[in-house]
Amino acid sequence: MPQVLEFKLPDLGEGLTEAEIVRWLVEVGDVVAIDQPVVEVETAKAMVEVPCPYGGVVTARFGAEGAELPVGAPLLTVAVGSTAGELSAAGAAEAESSGNVLVGYGTGAPAARRRRVRPEALSGAGSVTVPAAEPAPVAFAGAIPAAVPGEEPGPVAVISPLVRKLARQHDLDLRQLTGSGPDGLILRSDVESAIRAAASATAEPAPVSAVPASVSASSPASMAPSAGRQAAGERIPLRGVRGAVAEKLARSRREIPDATCWVDADATELMAARAAMNGAGGPAAGPKVSVLALLARICTAALARFPELNSTVDLDAREIVRLRDVHLGFAAQTDRGLVVPVVRNAQDRNAESIGAEIGRLTEAARTGKLTPADLSGGTFTLNNYGVFGVDGSTPIINHPEAAMLGVGRIVAKPWVHQGELAVRQVVQLSLTFDHRVCDGGTAGGFLRYVADCVEQPALLLRTL
């Protein structure tokens, strides 16, 4: 007789507590192999495919596409063990468990071709019945008590503990809400709408005398939004990657007393050195070295001289933690928003190695295949906003790091070179730093060293 096992949303690491279902990869009745990806979810860090540690027949799925689930919520149930004739011998052999639940830690077993088992084949097995339709998500215990005194609280159609916490913070009775999710599931957007509605209801209306008597009811002025009322417009939820970026940037501004210094540098020699490196090996020399890779290599050399900027601040201990390894992040704009992939142990890599890793991570970002590990643990960030055609910016530090180097476009400009006016390739470099970890002298020294290496790449070789 088959055994039904429940697969719950695993802990995807790095403190993530919830994920949004983007796309189901299996349907009820499908036969799945051990560690076969069954659902694609978006966390606050990345889009990932979640493999199921069980092999067998999918008997139920929980959560529609677009729904947010907390870690530990049920994703699907799988009937494992031999079943009636629809399961082949191969399928029955797959009906076991790998015990792996973390993304990226599968057994390496190849994904099996999807097979559908008819519901009647399983219903004859005794204790398992494949539902004809996808069941509604299960409401968790711990619902918000009713606001009416003396009334016994009942279960609420809400899954996410974050939704319940948000309702508690605003004294909102979830039982008074009608959820917009599947089967009335209350989503975070429902709670936020109720909070906005309550705020609008308590807002003080505009004085009547503020509207001239000569304005008729059909005039454009009378059609303007009234005080305390939200103007119409598109609403974009701050969740997933966009929400994570918003929170990180806001936290950086709240916690870090940052300062910015900048300098213009003559990048003509750097561009010539790059051209020489890429032309030295001929067509079969492999991938070209990018300007970003060269700048990243310069940054690692500068951080070796000014380690104060490769650090973080431990507020609880009131300590500055200087970090030994340089995990270099670089800002990358994707269709899903801004992400910062991380090149691990950049201090041990040359320009070619850094460039190859940047290329791999950039491609993963473009295709949405970055993992949470690819986006975590950075110690210093390089932001090349010059690709957008702008000269300068004041970067916001990627919390909890201590500094970020911004690079503008490299463009031909008049420049005094060896005492004469000439047309040179000029770039603006901006360093935003945490003033708690160092003073302006250290930050200026770092930036000046970077600029010197840009202007005279041979300096980097002499100081290695």
Side-chain angles (χ1 to χ4, degrees), residues 377-401:
T379 63
F380 183 93
T381 296
L382 179 60
N383 186 0
N384 180 20
Y385 43 74
V387 296
F388 302 117
V390 298
D391 295 327
S393 176
T394 54
I396 298 178
I397 296 173
N398 188 20
H399 185 280
E401 298 170 14

Side-chain angles (χ1 to χ4, degrees), residues 233-248:
E234 182 183 6
R235 294 183 178 274
I236 302 173
L238 275 176
R239 63 186 185 190
V241 172
R242 183 72 261 167
V245 170
E247 172 55 30
K248 176 160 283 196

Side-chain angles (χ1 to χ4, degrees), residues 25 87 262 265 302 399 464:
L25 305 178
L87 258 181
W262 59 89
H399 185 280
L464 289 178

Side-chain angles (χ1 to χ4, degrees), residues 10-43:
D11 181 357
L12 301 175
E14 299 296 335
L16 300 175
T17 60
E18 62 182 353
E20 177 182 339
I21 295 176
V22 176
R23 183 167 61 99
W24 281 104
L25 305 178
V26 296
E27 298 180 9
V28 172
D30 283 355
V31 176
V32 296
I34 298 171
D35 295 329
Q36 176 181 334
V38 293
V39 65
E40 189 177 69
V41 302
E42 182 178 23
T43 71

Side-chain angles (χ1 to χ4, degrees), residues 79-448:
V80 302
S82 59
T83 61
E86 292 293 330
L87 258 181
S88 65
E94 293 162 357
E96 47 190 277
S97 168
S98 71
N100 296 309
V101 294
L102 293 180
V103 174
Y105 288 85
T107 61
R113 179 177 58 85
R114 276 173 43 169
R115 295 184 297 279
R116 183 71 50 79
V117 176
R118 291 196 302 269
E120 58 269 21
L122 286 179
S123 60
S127 61
V128 181
T129 301
V130 179
E134 188 171 312
V138 179
F140 282 0
I144 302 296
V148 181
E151 186 175 333
E152 192 68 26
V156 180
V158 57
I159 286 182
S160 174
L162 298 180
V163 172
R164 297 199 298 272
K165 179 180 178 182
L166 183 63
R168 275 197 304 272
Q169 290 173 340
H170 293 270
D171 296 325
L172 190 65
D173 184 2
L174 286 172
R175 297 187 308 155
Q176 305 302 318
L177 301 186
T178 300
S180 61
D183 297 309
L185 178 68
I186 298 175
L187 306 178
R188 184 183 345 187
S189 57
D190 299 324
V191 175
E192 291 171 344
S193 296
I195 293 170
R196 286 193 296 268
S200 299
T202 57
E204 187 174 329
V208 176
S209 59
V211 182
S214 59
V215 178
S216 66
S218 60
S219 66
S222 67
M223 300 170 64
S226 61
R229 188 166 137 201
Q230 295 281 351
E234 182 183 6
R235 294 183 178 274
I236 302 173
L238 275 176
R239 63 186 185 190
V241 172
R242 183 72 261 167
V245 170
E247 172 55 30
K248 176 160 283 196
L249 295 179
R251 185 176 182 183
S252 179
R253 282 298 195 210
R254 287 195 307 267
E255 295 185 7
I256 299 178
D258 59 352
T260 302
C261 53
W262 59 89
V263 65
D264 289 340
D266 180 358
T268 306
E269 295 302 324
L270 180 72
M271 300 302 288
R274 174 177 176 264
M277 292 174 65
N278 290 334
K288 303 296 185 182
V289 177
S290 65
V291 175
L292 185 63
L294 291 176
L295 290 168
R297 182 64 188 89
I298 291 173
C299 282
T300 60
L303 289 171
R305 285 182 157 236
F306 301 92
E308 298 91 336
L309 295 170
N310 192 56
S311 61
T312 188
V313 175
D314 186 338
L315 288 176
D316 294 333
R318 295 183 61 82
E319 294 175 340
I320 297 172
V321 183
R322 290 190 184 175
L323 305 169
R324 181 186 60 186
D325 297 323
V326 177
H327 302 313
L328 188 70
F330 64 95
Q333 192 70 39
T334 71
D335 293 339
R336 295 171 52 245
L338 179 69
V339 294
V340 184
V342 177
V343 177
R344 304 283 169 185
N345 300 304
Q347 79 281 353
D348 297 330
R349 298 173 180 262
N350 58 23
E352 289 82 0
S353 175
I354 292 176
E357 184 65 0
I358 287 176
R360 182 190 73 81
L361 292 168
T362 299
E363 177 62 20
R366 187 186 65 80
T367 57
K369 299 299 183 182
L370 287 171
T371 67
D374 291 331
L375 296 165
S376 304
T379 63
F380 183 93
T381 296
L382 179 60
N383 186 0
N384 180 20
Y385 43 74
V387 296
F388 302 117
V390 298
D391 295 327
S393 176
T394 54
I396 298 178
I397 296 173
N398 188 20
H399 185 280
E401 298 170 14
M404 176 186 289
L405 180 70
V407 182
R409 61 175 179 162
I410 300 176
V411 62
K413 289 184 179 181
W415 189 266
V416 177
H417 177 64
Q418 296 179 351
E420 295 182 358
L421 188 63
V423 176
R424 306 287 287 182
Q425 299 294 316
V426 179
V427 62
Q428 185 180 99
L429 306 170
S430 301
L431 177 70
T432 297
F433 63 98
D434 185 340
H435 224 315
R436 296 173 298 180
V437 305
C438 70
D439 295 324
T442 301
F446 174 94
L447 186 59
R448 188 64 256 173

